[in-house]
Every structure is written in structure tokens, then in C-alpha cells.
Amino acid sequence: MQNFKIVNIHTNKEINLNYTELQDFMRINRKDFFYNYTIQRIEKKSLFNNIIAFLIVSFVSIALLMLGSILDKI
């Protein structure tokens, strides 16, 4: 299911909706929807990829710190 972030241009209020809720929301606010709101698709894959990248960078930095402390002892 796709998720969307709807932002009111005037108040900057954010609303997170799935596809069916977005259709209902657009039907209710039909007259002024495109003048008052912006739509942005939320990609859940990118969030997952960001978490994996953060974990990899964290482990590599810890490994480099440990390597540096081992080399200092030599």
C-alpha cells in the first residue's frame, strides 16, 4: 500500500494518508485541493535503506576506532 504526505500550503500542517484515504480526502476537498495542498509520496524502502546504511557506517567507524587503539599499543 502506498503512503502519501499531504501538506497544507498555508498552515504547513502535514497529514499522512494511504491511497484510499487520499482518494476520499481529494473527493471531500475537491474545489480547493490543488490550490491549498501538496502531495508527496512516502517511500518506505528509502527509510529501510537509510537504517541499513547507518548501521554499516556505525560498525565501520567502531572497527576503525578499535584498530586505531590496537595500533597505538604496538
Side-chain angles (χ1 to χ4, degrees), residues 21-62:
E21 292 171 340
L22 175 64
Q23 287 180 331
D24 293 339
F25 187 79
M26 289 176 71
R27 194 174 301 122
I28 292 169
N29 299 311
R30 184 177 306 170
K31 291 182 181 177
D32 60 349
F33 182 79
F34 292 104
Y35 297 109
N36 295 325
Y37 296 96
T38 59
I39 304 173
Q40 182 180 6
R41 184 182 302 177
I42 299 174
E43 300 268 343
K44 291 187 177 181
K45 292 180 185 175
S46 64
L47 178 64
F48 184 69
N49 290 341
N50 288 343
I51 291 171
I52 290 174
F54 172 75
L55 291 175
I56 291 172
V57 168
S58 299
F59 287 133
V60 169
S61 64
I62 291 171

Short mmCIF file of all heavy atoms in Angstrom, two decimals, residues 21-62:
data_model
loop_
_atom_site.label_atom_id
_atom_site.label_comp_id
_atom_site.label_asym_id
_atom_site.label_seq_id
_atom_site.Cartn_x
_atom_site.Cartn_y
_atom_site.Cartn_z
N GLU A 21 -7.44 6.55 1.51
CA GLU A 21 -7.73 7.75 2.30
C GLU A 21 -7.44 9.01 1.49
O GLU A 21 -8.16 10.01 1.61
CB GLU A 21 -6.89 7.75 3.58
CG GLU A 21 -7.28 6.67 4.56
CD GLU A 21 -6.30 6.56 5.70
OE1 GLU A 21 -5.16 7.03 5.57
OE2 GLU A 21 -6.68 5.98 6.73
N LEU A 22 -6.41 8.97 0.65
CA LEU A 22 -6.09 10.11 -0.21
C LEU A 22 -7.22 10.37 -1.20
O LEU A 22 -7.60 11.53 -1.42
CB LEU A 22 -4.78 9.87 -0.95
CG LEU A 22 -4.38 10.92 -1.99
CD1 LEU A 22 -4.12 12.26 -1.30
CD2 LEU A 22 -3.17 10.47 -2.77
N GLN A 23 -7.77 9.31 -1.78
CA GLN A 23 -8.88 9.48 -2.70
C GLN A 23 -10.08 10.11 -2.01
O GLN A 23 -10.72 11.02 -2.56
CB GLN A 23 -9.28 8.14 -3.31
CG GLN A 23 -8.32 7.62 -4.32
CD GLN A 23 -8.74 6.29 -4.88
OE1 GLN A 23 -9.40 5.50 -4.22
NE2 GLN A 23 -8.36 6.04 -6.12
N ASP A 24 -10.40 9.65 -0.80
CA ASP A 24 -11.50 10.24 -0.04
C ASP A 24 -11.23 11.70 0.29
O ASP A 24 -12.11 12.56 0.20
CB ASP A 24 -11.75 9.45 1.24
CG ASP A 24 -12.28 8.06 0.96
OD1 ASP A 24 -12.81 7.83 -0.14
OD2 ASP A 24 -12.14 7.19 1.84
N PHE A 25 -10.01 11.99 0.70
CA PHE A 25 -9.64 13.36 1.06
C PHE A 25 -9.76 14.29 -0.14
O PHE A 25 -10.26 15.41 -0.03
CB PHE A 25 -8.20 13.37 1.60
CG PHE A 25 -7.77 14.68 2.16
CD1 PHE A 25 -8.15 15.06 3.43
CD2 PHE A 25 -6.95 15.52 1.43
CE1 PHE A 25 -7.75 16.27 3.95
CE2 PHE A 25 -6.54 16.73 1.94
CZ PHE A 25 -6.95 17.11 3.21
N MET A 26 -9.31 13.82 -1.32
CA MET A 26 -9.42 14.64 -2.52
C MET A 26 -10.87 14.83 -2.94
O MET A 26 -11.25 15.89 -3.45
CB MET A 26 -8.62 14.01 -3.66
CG MET A 26 -7.13 14.09 -3.46
SD MET A 26 -6.19 13.24 -4.74
CE MET A 26 -6.45 14.33 -6.11
N ARG A 27 -11.70 13.83 -2.72
CA ARG A 27 -13.11 13.94 -3.08
C ARG A 27 -13.81 14.95 -2.18
O ARG A 27 -14.63 15.75 -2.63
CB ARG A 27 -13.77 12.56 -2.94
CG ARG A 27 -15.13 12.48 -3.59
CD ARG A 27 -15.68 11.06 -3.56
NE ARG A 27 -14.80 10.12 -4.25
CZ ARG A 27 -14.27 9.04 -3.67
NH1 ARG A 27 -14.52 8.77 -2.42
NH2 ARG A 27 -13.49 8.22 -4.36
N ILE A 28 -13.47 14.96 -0.91
CA ILE A 28 -14.10 15.89 0.04
C ILE A 28 -13.66 17.32 -0.25
O ILE A 28 -14.47 18.25 -0.25
CB ILE A 28 -13.74 15.50 1.49
CG1 ILE A 28 -14.41 14.16 1.83
CG2 ILE A 28 -14.16 16.57 2.47
CD1 ILE A 28 -13.92 13.56 3.13
N ASN A 29 -12.37 17.50 -0.52
CA ASN A 29 -11.81 18.85 -0.75
C ASN A 29 -11.58 19.10 -2.23
O ASN A 29 -10.55 19.64 -2.63
CB ASN A 29 -10.48 19.00 0.00
CG ASN A 29 -10.66 18.85 1.48
OD1 ASN A 29 -11.53 19.46 2.07
ND2 ASN A 29 -9.86 18.00 2.09
N ARG A 30 -12.52 18.73 -3.04
CA ARG A 30 -12.34 18.77 -4.50
C ARG A 30 -12.07 20.17 -5.04
O ARG A 30 -11.21 20.37 -5.88
CB ARG A 30 -13.58 18.20 -5.17
CG ARG A 30 -13.45 18.11 -6.67
CD ARG A 30 -14.66 17.49 -7.28
NE ARG A 30 -14.93 16.21 -6.65
CZ ARG A 30 -16.04 15.52 -6.84
NH1 ARG A 30 -16.98 16.00 -7.61
NH2 ARG A 30 -16.22 14.37 -6.25
N LYS A 31 -12.78 21.17 -4.54
CA LYS A 31 -12.69 22.51 -5.12
C LYS A 31 -11.33 23.16 -4.90
O LYS A 31 -10.76 23.76 -5.80
CB LYS A 31 -13.77 23.42 -4.53
CG LYS A 31 -15.16 23.04 -4.97
CD LYS A 31 -16.17 24.00 -4.38
CE LYS A 31 -17.58 23.61 -4.81
NZ LYS A 31 -18.58 24.48 -4.21
N ASP A 32 -10.81 23.05 -3.68
CA ASP A 32 -9.60 23.80 -3.37
C ASP A 32 -8.40 22.90 -3.08
O ASP A 32 -7.41 23.35 -2.51
CB ASP A 32 -9.85 24.71 -2.17
CG ASP A 32 -10.26 23.96 -0.92
OD1 ASP A 32 -10.56 22.75 -1.01
OD2 ASP A 32 -10.27 24.57 0.14
N PHE A 33 -8.46 21.64 -3.47
CA PHE A 33 -7.37 20.73 -3.11
C PHE A 33 -6.04 21.14 -3.73
O PHE A 33 -5.03 21.27 -3.05
CB PHE A 33 -7.71 19.29 -3.53
CG PHE A 33 -6.66 18.31 -3.14
CD1 PHE A 33 -6.58 17.85 -1.84
CD2 PHE A 33 -5.71 17.88 -4.06
CE1 PHE A 33 -5.59 16.96 -1.47
CE2 PHE A 33 -4.73 16.99 -3.70
CZ PHE A 33 -4.67 16.54 -2.40
N PHE A 34 -6.01 21.37 -5.04
CA PHE A 34 -4.75 21.64 -5.72
C PHE A 34 -4.22 23.06 -5.46
O PHE A 34 -3.06 23.35 -5.74
CB PHE A 34 -4.89 21.39 -7.22
CG PHE A 34 -5.09 19.94 -7.53
CD1 PHE A 34 -6.34 19.45 -7.86
CD2 PHE A 34 -4.04 19.05 -7.44
CE1 PHE A 34 -6.53 18.11 -8.12
CE2 PHE A 34 -4.21 17.71 -7.69
CZ PHE A 34 -5.46 17.24 -8.04
N TYR A 35 -5.07 23.93 -4.91
CA TYR A 35 -4.60 25.28 -4.57
C TYR A 35 -4.03 25.34 -3.15
O TYR A 35 -3.24 26.21 -2.84
CB TYR A 35 -5.74 26.29 -4.69
CG TYR A 35 -6.26 26.41 -6.10
CD1 TYR A 35 -7.51 25.92 -6.45
CD2 TYR A 35 -5.48 27.01 -7.09
CE1 TYR A 35 -7.98 26.02 -7.75
CE2 TYR A 35 -5.93 27.11 -8.40
CZ TYR A 35 -7.19 26.61 -8.71
OH TYR A 35 -7.65 26.71 -9.99
N ASN A 36 -4.46 24.42 -2.29
CA ASN A 36 -4.08 24.51 -0.88
C ASN A 36 -3.18 23.39 -0.39
O ASN A 36 -2.65 23.48 0.71
CB ASN A 36 -5.34 24.53 -0.01
CG ASN A 36 -6.16 25.78 -0.23
OD1 ASN A 36 -5.61 26.84 -0.48
ND2 ASN A 36 -7.46 25.66 -0.17
N TYR A 37 -3.01 22.33 -1.15
CA TYR A 37 -2.27 21.17 -0.66
C TYR A 37 -1.22 20.71 -1.67
O TYR A 37 -1.38 20.88 -2.87
CB TYR A 37 -3.23 19.99 -0.39
CG TYR A 37 -4.21 20.26 0.71
CD1 TYR A 37 -5.50 20.71 0.41
CD2 TYR A 37 -3.87 20.08 2.04
CE1 TYR A 37 -6.41 20.97 1.41
CE2 TYR A 37 -4.78 20.34 3.05
CZ TYR A 37 -6.04 20.78 2.73
OH TYR A 37 -6.94 21.03 3.72
N THR A 38 -0.14 20.13 -1.15
CA THR A 38 0.85 19.46 -1.98
C THR A 38 0.89 17.99 -1.57
O THR A 38 0.66 17.66 -0.41
CB THR A 38 2.26 20.06 -1.82
OG1 THR A 38 2.64 19.97 -0.46
CG2 THR A 38 2.28 21.51 -2.26
N ILE A 39 1.19 17.13 -2.53
CA ILE A 39 1.23 15.69 -2.30
C ILE A 39 2.66 15.21 -2.47
O ILE A 39 3.34 15.59 -3.42
CB ILE A 39 0.33 14.94 -3.30
CG1 ILE A 39 -1.09 15.46 -3.25
CG2 ILE A 39 0.36 13.44 -3.01
CD1 ILE A 39 -1.98 14.87 -4.33
N GLN A 40 3.11 14.39 -1.54
CA GLN A 40 4.43 13.78 -1.65
C GLN A 40 4.31 12.31 -1.28
O GLN A 40 3.72 11.96 -0.26
CB GLN A 40 5.42 14.47 -0.72
CG GLN A 40 6.82 13.93 -0.80
CD GLN A 40 7.75 14.65 0.15
OE1 GLN A 40 7.32 15.48 0.94
NE2 GLN A 40 9.01 14.31 0.08
N ARG A 41 4.84 11.44 -2.14
CA ARG A 41 4.80 10.01 -1.87
C ARG A 41 5.87 9.65 -0.85
O ARG A 41 7.00 10.12 -0.93
CB ARG A 41 5.04 9.21 -3.15
CG ARG A 41 4.92 7.72 -2.94
CD ARG A 41 5.21 6.97 -4.18
NE ARG A 41 4.32 7.38 -5.24
CZ ARG A 41 4.38 6.93 -6.47
NH1 ARG A 41 5.30 6.07 -6.81
NH2 ARG A 41 3.53 7.35 -7.39
N ILE A 42 5.51 8.83 0.12
CA ILE A 42 6.45 8.38 1.14
C ILE A 42 6.98 7.02 0.72
O ILE A 42 6.21 6.07 0.51
CB ILE A 42 5.77 8.29 2.52
CG1 ILE A 42 5.26 9.65 2.95
CG2 ILE A 42 6.73 7.70 3.54
CD1 ILE A 42 4.46 9.62 4.22
N GLU A 43 8.27 6.94 0.57
CA GLU A 43 8.93 5.68 0.19
C GLU A 43 9.43 5.00 1.45
O GLU A 43 10.32 5.51 2.12
CB GLU A 43 10.10 5.96 -0.75
CG GLU A 43 9.72 6.66 -2.02
CD GLU A 43 9.43 5.67 -3.14
OE1 GLU A 43 9.84 4.51 -3.01
OE2 GLU A 43 8.82 6.09 -4.12
N LYS A 44 8.87 3.85 1.76
CA LYS A 44 9.33 3.12 2.94
C LYS A 44 10.64 2.41 2.67
O LYS A 44 11.40 2.15 3.58
CB LYS A 44 8.27 2.12 3.38
CG LYS A 44 7.04 2.78 3.94
CD LYS A 44 6.09 1.78 4.53
CE LYS A 44 4.91 2.51 5.14
NZ LYS A 44 3.96 1.60 5.74
N LYS A 45 10.94 2.10 1.43
CA LYS A 45 12.20 1.44 1.09
C LYS A 45 13.38 2.34 1.41
O LYS A 45 14.40 1.87 1.87
CB LYS A 45 12.22 1.05 -0.38
CG LYS A 45 11.25 -0.03 -0.74
CD LYS A 45 11.34 -0.35 -2.22
CE LYS A 45 10.28 -1.34 -2.62
NZ LYS A 45 10.28 -1.57 -4.07
N SER A 46 13.23 3.63 1.15
CA SER A 46 14.35 4.54 1.40
C SER A 46 14.64 4.63 2.90
O SER A 46 15.79 4.74 3.30
CB SER A 46 14.06 5.93 0.83
OG SER A 46 12.97 6.51 1.49
N LEU A 47 13.63 4.56 3.74
CA LEU A 47 13.83 4.58 5.18
C LEU A 47 14.59 3.33 5.60
O LEU A 47 15.54 3.40 6.40
CB LEU A 47 12.48 4.66 5.90
CG LEU A 47 12.52 4.63 7.42
CD1 LEU A 47 13.24 5.87 7.94
CD2 LEU A 47 11.12 4.56 7.98
N PHE A 48 14.21 2.18 5.07
CA PHE A 48 14.89 0.93 5.37
C PHE A 48 16.35 0.98 4.91
O PHE A 48 17.25 0.57 5.64
CB PHE A 48 14.15 -0.23 4.70
CG PHE A 48 14.70 -1.58 5.03
CD1 PHE A 48 14.59 -2.10 6.30
CD2 PHE A 48 15.36 -2.31 4.05
CE1 PHE A 48 15.10 -3.34 6.60
CE2 PHE A 48 15.87 -3.55 4.34
CZ PHE A 48 15.75 -4.07 5.62
N ASN A 49 16.59 1.52 3.73
CA ASN A 49 17.95 1.64 3.22
C ASN A 49 18.78 2.60 4.07
O ASN A 49 19.97 2.37 4.28
CB ASN A 49 17.95 2.11 1.77
CG ASN A 49 17.43 1.06 0.82
OD1 ASN A 49 17.41 -0.12 1.16
ND2 ASN A 49 17.01 1.47 -0.36
N ASN A 50 18.16 3.66 4.56
CA ASN A 50 18.88 4.60 5.42
C ASN A 50 19.29 3.95 6.74
O ASN A 50 20.37 4.21 7.25
CB ASN A 50 18.02 5.83 5.70
CG ASN A 50 17.89 6.72 4.49
OD1 ASN A 50 18.67 6.61 3.55
ND2 ASN A 50 16.90 7.60 4.51
N ILE A 51 18.43 3.11 7.28
CA ILE A 51 18.75 2.42 8.53
C ILE A 51 19.92 1.46 8.32
O ILE A 51 20.85 1.40 9.13
CB ILE A 51 17.51 1.69 9.07
CG1 ILE A 51 16.47 2.71 9.54
CG2 ILE A 51 17.88 0.75 10.22
CD1 ILE A 51 15.13 2.11 9.89
N ILE A 52 19.89 0.72 7.21
CA ILE A 52 20.98 -0.21 6.92
C ILE A 52 22.29 0.54 6.72
O ILE A 52 23.34 0.14 7.24
CB ILE A 52 20.64 -1.07 5.69
CG1 ILE A 52 19.52 -2.05 6.04
CG2 ILE A 52 21.86 -1.84 5.19
CD1 ILE A 52 19.01 -2.84 4.88
N ALA A 53 22.25 1.64 5.99
CA ALA A 53 23.46 2.44 5.76
C ALA A 53 24.00 3.00 7.08
O ALA A 53 25.22 3.00 7.31
CB ALA A 53 23.16 3.57 4.80
N PHE A 54 23.12 3.43 7.96
CA PHE A 54 23.55 3.94 9.27
C PHE A 54 24.24 2.86 10.08
O PHE A 54 25.28 3.10 10.70
CB PHE A 54 22.34 4.50 10.04
CG PHE A 54 22.64 4.87 11.45
CD1 PHE A 54 23.35 6.02 11.74
CD2 PHE A 54 22.24 4.05 12.50
CE1 PHE A 54 23.63 6.37 13.04
CE2 PHE A 54 22.53 4.39 13.81
CZ PHE A 54 23.24 5.55 14.08
N LEU A 55 23.67 1.63 10.06
CA LEU A 55 24.29 0.54 10.81
C LEU A 55 25.66 0.18 10.25
O LEU A 55 26.61 -0.06 11.01
CB LEU A 55 23.36 -0.68 10.79
CG LEU A 55 22.07 -0.54 11.59
CD1 LEU A 55 21.19 -1.77 11.40
CD2 LEU A 55 22.38 -0.32 13.06
N ILE A 56 25.79 0.16 8.94
CA ILE A 56 27.08 -0.17 8.32
C ILE A 56 28.13 0.88 8.68
O ILE A 56 29.25 0.55 9.07
CB ILE A 56 26.92 -0.31 6.79
CG1 ILE A 56 26.11 -1.57 6.47
CG2 ILE A 56 28.28 -0.35 6.10
CD1 ILE A 56 25.72 -1.70 5.01
N VAL A 57 27.76 2.15 8.57
CA VAL A 57 28.71 3.22 8.90
C VAL A 57 29.09 3.17 10.37
O VAL A 57 30.25 3.36 10.73
CB VAL A 57 28.11 4.60 8.52
CG1 VAL A 57 28.91 5.73 9.10
CG2 VAL A 57 28.00 4.72 7.01
N SER A 58 28.14 2.86 11.24
CA SER A 58 28.43 2.77 12.67
C SER A 58 29.42 1.64 12.96
O SER A 58 30.39 1.82 13.70
CB SER A 58 27.16 2.53 13.46
OG SER A 58 26.27 3.58 13.28
N PHE A 59 29.18 0.47 12.37
CA PHE A 59 30.08 -0.66 12.61
C PHE A 59 31.48 -0.40 12.06
O PHE A 59 32.48 -0.73 12.69
CB PHE A 59 29.50 -1.94 12.01
CG PHE A 59 28.33 -2.49 12.78
CD1 PHE A 59 27.19 -2.88 12.10
CD2 PHE A 59 28.35 -2.59 14.16
CE1 PHE A 59 26.10 -3.39 12.80
CE2 PHE A 59 27.27 -3.08 14.86
CZ PHE A 59 26.14 -3.48 14.18
N VAL A 60 31.57 0.22 10.90
CA VAL A 60 32.88 0.52 10.31
C VAL A 60 33.62 1.54 11.16
O VAL A 60 34.83 1.41 11.40
CB VAL A 60 32.73 1.00 8.85
CG1 VAL A 60 34.02 1.57 8.32
CG2 VAL A 60 32.25 -0.14 7.97
N SER A 61 32.92 2.55 11.66
CA SER A 61 33.61 3.55 12.49
C SER A 61 34.09 2.94 13.81
O SER A 61 35.19 3.25 14.27
CB SER A 61 32.69 4.75 12.75
OG SER A 61 31.56 4.35 13.49
N ILE A 62 33.30 2.06 14.40
CA ILE A 62 33.73 1.39 15.63
C ILE A 62 34.94 0.50 15.35
O ILE A 62 35.89 0.46 16.13
CB ILE A 62 32.56 0.58 16.24
CG1 ILE A 62 31.50 1.54 16.78
CG2 ILE A 62 33.04 -0.36 17.34
CD1 ILE A 62 30.21 0.87 17.19
#
